[in-house]
Amino acid sequence: CYVDDVILTGNSSQLISLVITELTTKFEMNDFVTIHYFLSLKISNTPERLFVSQSNYVNELIDIVDL
């Protein structure tokens, strides 16, 4: 089984760490911690929240259809 990208997020850093620990016992994983882009979506994070912007995706679509 192969999975390319997974985003794991939540309110509890302890629970996230526990889930990551459990997953690494079952699967080979890399934990890159900070995410910037995912599926053409721009991801910005602060200690309080995660912000997902589609502006990059929309700009790519505009370029594709030549608007």
Side-chain angles (χ1 to χ4, degrees):
C1 179
Y2 179 80
V3 175
D4 192 23
D5 294 310
V6 173
I7 298 174
L8 180 61
T9 185
N11 293 336
S12 170
S13 57
Q14 279 185 309
L15 184 56
I16 291 171
S17 294
L18 177 64
V19 170
I20 290 171
T21 300
E22 288 296 316
L23 287 172
T24 56
T25 65
K26 307 276 188 216
F27 306 99
E28 183 179 333
M29 292 179 45
N30 294 316
D31 183 9
F32 296 112
V33 182
T34 305
I35 183 171
H36 300 286
Y37 285 93
F38 185 76
L39 300 175
S40 296
L41 301 174
K42 183 177 179 182
I43 312 295
S44 304
N45 54 341
T46 67
E48 296 84 30
R49 65 183 57 129
L50 186 71
F51 180 76
V52 180
S53 171
Q54 292 181 309
S55 61
N56 189 48
Y57 175 70
V58 170
N59 288 330
E60 287 177 10
L61 287 178
I62 289 171
D63 287 342
I64 289 170
V65 296
D66 200 27
L67 287 179

